[in-house]
Amino acid sequence: MRVAILVLGLAAVGGAQTGARTSSAGQATVRTGVRAQKEVGDLIREFLSKVNDPAMHNRFWADDLIYTSAAGKVKTKAEIMESMRNAPKAAAGDTSTYSAEQMQVRQYGDVAVAAFELVHRDGSKVDHYRNTGTFVKRDGRWQAVAWQATKVE
């Protein structure tokens, strides 16, 4: 009876956690939580659909954020929020859109790392960026604590 309880307990713990497992070739592979893939992926897509909304930036970025732009400038959340306050309003008829493609999310407990290709379309102009974000789940919600953007030529 004790063995059965122990086995069930270990199975429950193993199913609830994310971490390493061993492939048939004996190499460690990463098992990613489906919940983080969905939650972080949805958060990134929502953010990109509301990229001009200061409230969305406030929700998305953690207070202790370290952000490195594609130009190599390091910014804090406070600096990003200040730039949002000072930014000119988007012009009527602005057709600029952002999308996340080739998204990958890996979860490590209450931390998740996302990497994706950000595609910015503005009329006939299309720009591509590789973005990597580190998210921490605090008080039941994911927020980006680190971000790196690289322009793809």
Side-chain angles (χ1 to χ4, degrees):
M1 182 69 166
R2 286 184 186 165
V3 172
I5 292 171
L6 178 61
V7 169
L8 287 174
L10 288 175
V13 169
Q17 293 180 337
T18 58
R21 65 177 175 207
T22 304
S23 70
S24 59
Q27 297 175 330
T29 60
V30 175
R31 180 177 38 184
T32 297
V34 173
R35 176 171 277 165
Q37 286 179 343
K38 176 159 179 31
E39 291 175 353
V40 171
D42 288 350
L43 177 61
I44 290 170
R45 285 184 282 278
E46 180 183 9
F47 174 77
L48 293 176
S49 73
K50 299 176 181 178
V51 75
N52 293 319
D53 180 1
M56 186 71 232
H57 279 264
N58 192 50
R59 158 69 186 94
F60 189 81
W61 306 116
D63 290 341
D64 53 345
L65 171 72
I66 301 170
Y67 177 96
T68 305
S69 74
K73 181 163 173 45
V74 177
K75 300 178 182 180
T76 64
K77 179 180 179 176
E79 290 170 322
I80 290 171
M81 296 308 296
E82 181 66 24
S83 70
M84 292 296 299
R85 284 189 285 279
N86 295 330
K89 297 290 181 197
D94 180 14
T95 60
S96 187
T97 63
Y98 298 86
S99 64
E101 299 179 9
Q102 303 170 9
M103 178 139 1
Q104 298 177 52
V105 178
R106 303 286 187 268
Q107 183 177 1
Y108 307 94
D110 287 338
V111 175
V113 177
F116 64 96
E117 181 178 358
L118 182 143
V119 180
H120 174 218
R121 292 178 175 85
D122 188 4
S124 62
K125 184 179 178 190
V126 180
D127 292 309
H128 298 263
Y129 300 84
R130 292 301 305 178
N131 285 285
T132 303
T134 303
F135 294 79
V136 174
K137 191 166 194 176
R138 296 175 178 152
D139 299 323
R141 65 181 186 161
W142 294 101
Q143 283 190 303
V145 296
W147 199 265
Q148 170 71 52
T150 304
K151 186 166 177 43
V152 177
E153 298 301 327

